[in-house]
């Protein structure tokens, strides 16, 4: 009895020491008094200054395969950080709305998981696949080269497939269901960008081929063009960095919106989302990104980039200039700097 009590006291003291050490090592803006302004102001300026040494090619270029995106101001630059208490700090063009593009993919994947959470005869993960493809995000070859044709929820093929699995009746009902859900993750004020949607719909021949191929391979059960239209609309949702950071903070908070205090996703659904962001959030560059930065991250070709530090906060960056893989150049520089400044790599 005495021996057991002695060891129990030792374990309690050790646990307290670990918790105290962890709280000391956390960055200041992860605590209740959220004060990231100094951090993002410093990083914002450092990234802008370091750009002066880069060639035009190294600075990246705005996505030009979608006309509406090609018209974006390449100098837009914003950073927002939102914590799990609902605090937000921002700098730059943080009130400028931009299309969420592929950053919608992890969130819609979460909705599909939620829609089928009680379905014992259907598994989204088994139907779509979870492994990295090693190909570009819009690759057709990656579908045909695999015998089972499975992709993952972060590339176009897998995301179109995921979007086809949403519930709620008619096509119109499914889209309303998706938009309401996306709003529930943030401040309730995101909206469909009609110009972006029309521009993408007029130029998405490659995605049409992907959707029809998925249908031919029996990866999609319903009308593939309905699924593609819903996917295109999801990519055309307009957000600011402040709204996007709150969406990320909902993931950091285990699926509970830090502002509304409503549970949107379960812990296990968030775990799957963040895992897939690690696997393929930056497409073929995901492995190098995870090794260097160590945060689940997702990019969008409008210039958005979202990183999540679980149980603490999320970082959202908007800058339209992209590298060859379709990821924001400034966005990567910002998140990499913050991760290194505060030793945020999740495996450290």
């Amino acid at each position: 009895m005495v021996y057991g009590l002695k060891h129990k006291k030792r374990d309690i003291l050790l646990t307290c020491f670990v918790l105290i050490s962890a709280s000391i090592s956390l960055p200041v803006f992860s605590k209740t008094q959220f004060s990231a302004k100094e951090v993002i102001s410093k990083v914002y300026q450092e990234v802008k200054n370091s750009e002066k040494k880069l060639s035009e090619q190294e600075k990246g270029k705005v996505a030009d395969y979608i006309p509406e995106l090609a018209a974006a101001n390449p100098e837009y630059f914003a950073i927002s950080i939102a914590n799990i208490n609902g605090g937000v700090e921002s700098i730059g063009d943080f009130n400028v709305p931009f299309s969420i593009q592929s950053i919608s993919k992890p969130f819609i994947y979460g909705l599909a998981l939620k829609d089928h959470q009680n379905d014992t005869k259907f598994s989204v993960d088994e139907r779509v696949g979870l492994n990295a493809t090693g190909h570009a995000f819009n690759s057709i070859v990656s579908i045909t080269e695999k015998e089972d044709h499975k992709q993952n929820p972060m590339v176009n093929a897998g995301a179109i497939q995921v979007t086809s699995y949403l519930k709620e009746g008619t096509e119109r009902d499914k889209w309303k269901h998706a938009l309401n859900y996306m709003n529930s993750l943030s401040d309730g004020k995101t909206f469909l960008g009609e110009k972006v949607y029309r521009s993408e719909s007029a130029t998405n021949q490659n995605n049409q081929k992907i959707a029809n191929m998925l249908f031919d391979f029996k990866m999609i059960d319903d009308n593939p063009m309905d699924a593609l239209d819903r996917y295109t609309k999801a990519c055309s949702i307009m957000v600011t960095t402040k709204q996007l950071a709150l969406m990320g903070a909902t993931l950091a908070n285990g699926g509970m919106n830090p502002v509304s205090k409503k549970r949107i996703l379960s812990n296990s659904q968030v775990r799957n989302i963040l895992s897939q962001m690690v696997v393929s959030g930056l497409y073929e560059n995901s492995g190098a990104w995870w090794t260097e930065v160590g945060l689940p991250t997702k990019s969008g070709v409008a210039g958005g980039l979202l990183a999540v530090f679980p149980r603490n906060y999320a970082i959202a960056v908007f800058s339209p200039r992209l590298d060859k893989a379709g990821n924001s150049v400034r966005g990567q520089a910002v998140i990499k700097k913050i991760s290194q400044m505060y030793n945020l790599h999740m495996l450290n």
Side-chain angles (χ1 to χ4, degrees):
M1 289 292 289
V2 174
Y3 177 84
L5 182 61
K6 178 182 177 182
H7 281 70
K8 186 174 182 180
K9 287 181 177 178
R10 181 198 66 186
D11 291 344
I12 291 171
L13 288 171
L14 180 60
T15 301
C16 290
F17 173 76
V18 170
L19 288 172
I20 292 169
S21 299
S23 66
I24 291 171
S25 68
L26 288 174
V28 65
F29 51 82
S30 72
K31 298 180 182 178
T32 305
Q33 294 231 323
F34 189 79
S35 56
K37 193 70 175 180
E38 185 178 341
V39 175
I40 59 176
S41 296
K42 179 182 178 181
V43 171
Y44 180 89
Q45 200 56 53
E46 284 183 359
V47 169
K48 292 198 79 170
N49 290 339
S50 65
E51 252 186 8
K52 298 173 183 177
K53 303 175 184 178
L54 302 179
S55 67
E56 284 303 309
Q57 184 176 3
E58 290 172 324
K59 289 179 182 178
K61 66 175 187 174
V62 174
D64 56 9
Y65 63 95
I66 299 171
E68 191 63 25
L69 298 189
N73 182 346
E75 299 310 315
Y76 278 145
F77 186 22
I79 308 171
S80 293
I81 300 182
N83 70 7
I84 60 173
N85 298 311
V88 183
E89 291 287 358
S90 302
I91 190 170
D93 304 300
F94 55 85
N95 284 322
V96 173
F98 58 94
S99 55
I100 193 170
Q101 295 297 325
S102 287
I103 307 176
S104 65
K105 291 174 180 174
F107 295 109
I108 296 297
Y109 167 54
L111 179 57
L113 291 176
K114 183 177 182 178
D115 280 354
H116 293 276
Q117 61 188 349
N118 297 319
D119 195 339
T120 59
K121 297 182 179 180
F122 183 92
S123 168
V124 173
D125 290 339
E126 288 181 9
R127 289 291 301 269
V128 178
L130 299 172
N131 294 318
T133 67
H135 290 279
F137 65 91
N138 58 354
S139 174
I140 290 178
V141 173
S142 65
I143 306 171
T144 58
E145 73 176 9
K146 295 183 68 176
E147 188 175 346
D148 61 10
H149 313 297
K150 291 181 181 180
Q151 303 294 289
N152 67 67
M154 301 299 112
V155 297
N156 288 14
I160 293 169
Q161 193 180 350
V162 162
T163 310
S164 76
Y165 298 148
L166 300 187
K167 292 186 175 181
E168 293 294 324
T170 67
E171 170 61 18
R172 184 177 179 179
D173 291 337
K174 288 179 180 179
W175 164 240
K176 186 177 179 181
H177 174 53
L179 183 59
N180 287 342
Y181 158 79
M182 294 291 275
N183 270 313
S184 72
L185 295 160
S186 187
D187 62 0
K189 297 178 181 178
T190 65
F191 61 95
L192 174 65
E194 292 286 352
K195 289 184 178 180
V196 178
Y197 166 63
R198 288 196 296 268
S199 186
E200 289 203 39
S201 296
T203 56
N204 66 353
Q205 286 78 16
N206 190 73
N207 280 345
Q208 290 177 35
K209 293 177 183 177
I210 289 173
N212 283 318
M213 188 176 291
L214 291 170
F215 183 73
D216 290 342
F217 287 135
K218 302 187 186 308
M219 310 293 280
I220 290 178
D221 301 324
D222 300 324
N223 186 331
M225 292 302 103
D226 283 350
L228 176 58
D229 185 67
R230 194 158 56 249
Y231 164 81
T232 306
K233 285 178 178 174
C235 289
S236 303
I237 290 173
M238 305 299 286
V239 296
T240 63
T241 54
K242 291 173 70 174
Q243 291 170 321
L244 186 59
L246 280 173
M247 294 173 76
T250 297
L251 297 181
N253 200 29
M256 182 176 291
N257 185 312
V259 176
S260 70
K261 307 302 180 185
K262 292 181 180 179
R263 176 156 295 283
I264 313 301
L265 295 161
S266 69
N267 280 298
S268 63
Q269 288 157 2
V270 170
R271 179 202 63 198
N272 284 23
I273 291 169
L274 296 180
S275 296
Q276 283 302 295
M277 288 169 69
V278 170
V279 169
S280 194
L282 270 72
Y283 307 119
E284 61 267 41
N285 292 349
S286 298
W289 179 261
W290 173 251
T291 302
E292 293 177 29
V293 179
L295 293 175
T297 307
K298 187 70 193 80
S299 64
V301 293
L305 198 66
L306 176 67
V308 177
F309 187 31
R311 294 175 294 281
N312 286 273
Y313 45 81
I315 309 165
V317 187
F318 169 49
S319 181
R321 292 181 183 269
L322 312 177
D323 63 15
K324 291 182 179 179
N327 306 313
S328 173
V329 173
R330 282 175 172 170
Q332 292 174 84
V334 166
I335 294 170
K336 188 178 293 186
K337 278 181 177 291
I338 293 176
S339 177
Q340 292 171 349
M341 285 168 63
Y342 289 100
N343 195 30
L344 300 186
H345 198 300
M346 288 176 61
L347 297 185
N348 284 347

